[in-house]
């Protein structure tokens, strides 16, 4: 009798535990997970910020409309993630060949204190020639990051220096300035180029 | 291919020398460092990064505790991480234990030898020595080739 009761309790307990885990999964990682707050960038046409490119031209989101666009954030004092992203992108652009010349490719620094126009010019010079480097006053950088629903944060390091945490995803927009998709930092290479091709053709397919 | 072989031989000699000079060590003499590479730097103000695979061919776990190189005053193993919303950050990785037969990859976007306070610019085509220190007191020195800034791996 007691044993049967024990079994019953055990089964009920396991059931409750299972249900709790399932509900937890559903709400945290599963289909019930809340959309990360404001994660989708604004269309380029709704963004407002003024920056300077590495050739000292005044630039803003308006300059990007009319051609498909790839945008990413970083800083030139970044030893690992940023050169990796820039060399990955250079590789994708090489793979796209002539198609790449139809795109805007913009690297926006999150560290304007150290990334002056000259610093950006020198840095982007080592990568694919299509890559433009944008910098500017802190408040404009902050507006740009906010418009992309990205984030950045200055983090002090030992020895009085600092590093920047920042969104490492690559944003892809069509020629009308609407977000097509994003390429995550750890996404396999073979997914990236097809995604870029989608951004390149979206304005044609998407025209209704 | 020939270049790679020569490099492997040089490494073997280095490792043998390291092994002979400290015969009482337990573990670190069985460490093999492969495919080391780094990217050139712009000047000396920006930190550099070096990558490699550290393999423990022995029967005891080994713990990598530190780095040393004449190239940089503050070489440290750091780890880059990207969280669920795509934000990348970087922090010192601390000590790294490698179990027997296992290896640890220092590669872009993950663990890397962060070379802070460069003493001279990292120039493409040159090499620099990097010494890995283990908890048993053993040291393994590897020559790290400096590739272009836009290099994606040990092959360039």
């Amino acid at each position: 009798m007691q044993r049967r009761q024990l079994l019953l309790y055990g089964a009920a307990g396991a059931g409750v535990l299972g249900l709790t885990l399932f509900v937890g999964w559903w709400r945290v990682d599963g289909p019930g997970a809340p959309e990360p707050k404001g994660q989708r960038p604004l269309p380029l046409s709704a963004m407002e910020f003024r920056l300077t490119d590495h050739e000292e031209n005044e630039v803003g989101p308006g300059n990007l409309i009319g051609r498909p666009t790839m945008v990413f954030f970083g800083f030139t004092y970044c030893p690992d993630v940023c050169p990796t992203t820039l060399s990955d992108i250079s590789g994708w652009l090489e793979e796209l060949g002539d198609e790449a010349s139809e795109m805007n490719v913009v690297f926006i620094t999150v560290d304007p204190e150290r990334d002056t126009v000259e610093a950006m010019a020198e840095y982007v010079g080592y990568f694919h020639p299509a890559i433009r480097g944008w910098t500017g006053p802190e408040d404009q950088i902050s507006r740009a990051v906010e418009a992309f629903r990205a984030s950045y944060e200055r983090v002090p390091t030992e020895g009085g220096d600092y590093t920047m945490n920042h969104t490492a995803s690559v944003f892809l927009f069509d020629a009308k300035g609407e977000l097509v998709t994003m390429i995550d930092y750890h996404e396999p290479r073979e997914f990236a180029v097809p995604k870029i091709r989608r951004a390149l053709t979206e304005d044609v397919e998407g025209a209704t | 291919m020939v270049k790679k072989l020569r490099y492997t031989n040089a490494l073997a000699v280095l490792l043998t020398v390291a092994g002979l000079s400290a015969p009482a060590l337990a573990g670190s003499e069985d460490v093999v460092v492969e495919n080391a590479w780094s990217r050139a730097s712009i000047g000396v103000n920006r930190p550099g990064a070096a990558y490699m695979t550290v393999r423990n061919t022995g029967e005891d776990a080994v713990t990598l505790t530190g780095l040393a190189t004449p190239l940089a005053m503050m070489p440290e193993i750091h780890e880059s991480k990207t969280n669920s919303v795509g934000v990348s950050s970087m922090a010192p990785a601390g000590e790294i234990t490698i179990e027997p037969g296992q290896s640890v990859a220092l590669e872009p976007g993950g663990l890397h030898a962060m070379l802070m306070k460069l003493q001279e610019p990292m120039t493409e085509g040159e090499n620099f020595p990097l010494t890995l220190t283990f908890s048993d007191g053993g040291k393994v020195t590897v020559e790290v080739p400096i590739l272009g800034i836009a290099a994606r791996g040990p092959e360039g």
Side-chain angles (χ1 to χ4, degrees):
Chain A
M1 213 41 177
Q2 233 180 4
R3 198 166 152 192
R4 214 168 119 193
Q5 231 167 19
L6 212 69
L7 269 174
L8 204 68
Y9 280 131
V16 167
L17 183 69
L19 190 68
T20 310
L21 287 176
F22 176 77
V23 169
W25 167 81
W26 185 273
R27 284 168 47 182
V28 177
D29 293 316
E35 276 286 306
K37 193 173 143 253
Q39 235 213 329
R40 206 177 155 83
L42 297 176
L44 291 173
S45 56
M47 294 186 184
E48 280 179 42
F49 57 86
R50 302 297 307 164
L51 294 171
T52 306
D53 78 3
H54 68 277
E55 288 173 329
E56 298 190 350
N57 303 304
E58 293 291 308
V59 286
N63 297 71
L64 303 174
I65 297 168
R67 297 185 348 146
T69 296
M70 177 155 46
V71 178
F72 58 100
F73 294 92
F75 63 113
T76 77
Y77 279 66
C78 160
D80 179 43
V81 168
C82 307
T84 303
T85 302
L86 276 129
S87 51
D88 280 351
I89 289 175
S90 299
W92 303 337
L93 294 172
E94 275 162 34
E95 207 171 317
L96 287 162
D98 285 347
E99 286 176 86
S101 60
E102 295 163 28
M103 285 197 97
N104 301 307
V105 187
V106 181
F107 162 39
I108 302 178
T109 182
V110 291
D111 183 15
E113 184 178 321
R114 292 184 295 200
D115 288 339
T116 59
V117 171
E118 299 74 46
M120 292 298 274
E122 183 173 21
Y123 195 74
V124 298
Y126 288 99
F127 298 93
H128 192 282
I131 302 175
R132 317 286 302 171
W134 290 13
T135 184
E138 167 67 35
D139 66 313
Q140 296 297 313
I141 297 285
S142 151
R143 287 177 75 151
V145 170
E146 166 63 27
F148 281 89
R149 304 295 185 246
S151 73
Y152 68 116
E153 183 190 4
R154 182 177 166 144
V155 183
T157 55
E158 296 168 60
D161 263 343
Y162 65 93
T163 183
M164 305 293 299
N165 294 352
H166 63 91
T167 301
S169 313
V170 176
F171 299 90
L172 287 168
F173 295 86
D174 65 18
K176 286 175 293 185
E178 297 290 330
L179 181 79
V180 175
T181 185
M182 283 149 67
I183 303 169
D184 289 333
Y185 182 70
H186 282 298
E187 206 160 303
R189 279 182 78 83
E190 52 278 21
F191 295 170
V193 171
K195 278 187 166 181
I196 299 169
R197 286 221 163 89
R198 247 179 75 201
L200 283 163
T201 55
E202 189 84 354
D203 52 333
V204 184
E205 288 167 5
T208 43
Chain B
M1 205 50 192
V2 174
K3 201 174 151 197
K4 201 169 174 185
L5 259 177
R6 207 191 299 146
Y7 174 59
T8 314
N9 285 340
L11 198 64
V13 170
L14 262 172
L15 290 176
T16 311
V17 171
L20 286 177
S21 62
L25 300 176
S28 63
E29 74 273 19
D30 294 318
V31 167
V32 180
V33 179
E34 292 161 330
N35 295 324
W37 64 285
S38 61
R39 294 190 180 109
S41 71
I42 303 175
V44 295
N45 293 330
R46 294 177 176 83
Y51 305 100
M52 66 207 74
T53 303
V54 186
R55 200 149 55 85
N56 179 6
T57 64
E59 285 169 6
D60 300 302
V62 295
T63 300
L64 176 57
T65 53
L67 301 173
T69 174
L71 180 70
M73 301 251 287
M74 254 176 74
E76 245 177 29
I77 299 205
H78 279 219
E79 186 168 22
S80 299
K81 284 182 181 163
T82 305
N83 71 13
S84 61
V85 293
V87 176
S88 286
S89 59
M90 192 173 63
E95 299 188 343
I96 295 168
T97 298
I98 312 170
E99 296 300 326
Q102 301 295 307
S103 61
V104 164
L106 276 61
E107 57 192 4
L111 291 167
H112 54 279
M114 168 114 157
L115 309 169
M116 292 171 286
K117 302 202 188 297
L118 289 179
Q119 298 299 290
E120 52 187 293
M122 296 172 72
T123 308
E124 184 173 353
E126 293 183 357
N127 289 333
F128 66 92
L130 180 70
T131 301
L132 286 68
T133 311
F134 294 89
S135 58
D136 63 357
K139 292 179 194 306
V140 176
T141 298
V142 57
E143 275 295 319
V144 184
I146 303 173
L147 311 180
I149 291 187
R152 278 168 227 149
E155 310 298 329

